[in-house]
């Protein structure tokens, strides 16, 4: 007979069971807080990992497009209004894909307006991925490509993006 099973002080004492219940609630609160912190920090950790795995960066094109050519390329990739590029951070990147998935279900075109210039950058990085990232496993390619998209939106101008797109995919420059 174990002393723990037959101890009448802990078996029927409501104060001990309340204290145990409070301990479980505290533990649950801490686990939820830890989970939320991990969720909030995860995109930044993945961005850091992607940038550290692949040290080289894509270089912008040396060619310069005329204003008319830039506007033609912009409209060819579905851009609305004047060509522009919005800088995207790790969390905006995650939100972009949420917006894109929601857009696939309907005819909502808010993603292109909210994340202007994102599609040409993705096309450039896809080309870069096919040329440079061929030796990486698929999961690392996805993380590195995502990190490079974020990096390009923060370090290139829209003119560099459109000229680079024409360099890697000439079909986007209408004749």
């Amino acid at each position: 007979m174990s002393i723990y099973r037959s101890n009448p002080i802990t078996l029927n004492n409501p104060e001990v069971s309340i204290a145990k219940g409070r301990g479980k609630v505290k533990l649950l609160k801490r686990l939820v807080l830890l989970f939320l912190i991990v969720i909030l920090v995860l995109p930044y950790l993945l961005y850091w990992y992607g940038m550290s795995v692949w040290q080289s960066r894509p270089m912008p094109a040396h060619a310069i497009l005329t204003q008319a050519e830039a506007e033609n390329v912009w409209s060819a990739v579905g851009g609305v209004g004047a060509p522009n590029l919005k800088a995207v951070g790790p969390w905006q990147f995650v939100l972009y894909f949420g917006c894109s998935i929601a857009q696939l279900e309907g005819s909502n075109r808010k993603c292109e307006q909210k994340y202007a210039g994102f599609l040409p950058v993705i096309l450039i990085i896809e080309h870069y991925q096919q040329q440079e990232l061929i030796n990486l496993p698929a999961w690392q390619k996805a993380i590195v490509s995502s990190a490079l998209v974020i990096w390009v939106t923060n370090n290139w101008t829209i003119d560099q993006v459109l000229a680079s797109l024409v360099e890697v995919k000439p079909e986007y420059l209408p004749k």
Side-chain angles (χ1 to χ4, degrees), residues 37 39 58 70 87 163 167:
I37 290 171
I39 293 298
E167 189 175 276

Side-chain angles (χ1 to χ4, degrees), residues 139-156:
W139 66 272
Q140 273 188 329
K141 279 184 189 178
I143 293 172
V144 169
S145 296
S146 301
L148 289 175
V149 166
I150 294 166
W151 182 83
V152 166
T153 62
N154 285 284
N155 292 289
W156 288 14

Side-chain angles (χ1 to χ4, degrees), residues 28-41:
L28 181 63
K29 285 181 181 178
R30 288 180 182 161
L31 288 175
V32 167
L33 181 63
L34 179 66
F35 177 74
L36 290 175
I37 290 171
V38 168
I39 293 298
L40 291 174
V41 173

Side-chain angles (χ1 to χ4, degrees), residues 152-167:
V152 166
T153 62
N154 285 284
N155 292 289
W156 288 14
T157 65
I158 188 62
D159 296 326
Q160 292 172 319
V161 168
L162 295 176
S164 297
L165 179 62
V166 168
E167 189 175 276

Side-chain angles (χ1 to χ4, degrees), residues 2 16 27 35 47 50 53 58 68 70 81 98 102 112 123-124 129-130 134 151 160-161 166-167 171:
S2 170
V16 172
L27 177 64
F35 177 74
Y47 173 72
V53 166
E112 284 88 358
L123 294 171
I124 292 166
Q129 178 185 16
Q130 293 168 356
I134 52 177
W151 182 83
Q160 292 172 319
V161 168
V166 168
E167 189 175 276
E171 64 269 16

Side-chain angles (χ1 to χ4, degrees), residues 117-129:
F118 205 67
L119 180 60
V121 173
I122 289 176
L123 294 171
I124 292 166
I125 297 302
E126 280 179 356
H127 181 266
Y128 183 79
Q129 178 185 16

Side-chain angles (χ1 to χ4, degrees), residues 58-79:
M59 298 297 296
H62 297 292
I64 298 172
L65 299 177
T66 66
Q67 184 67 26
E69 289 173 330
E71 288 174 0
N72 287 338
V73 173
W74 181 249
S75 64
V77 293

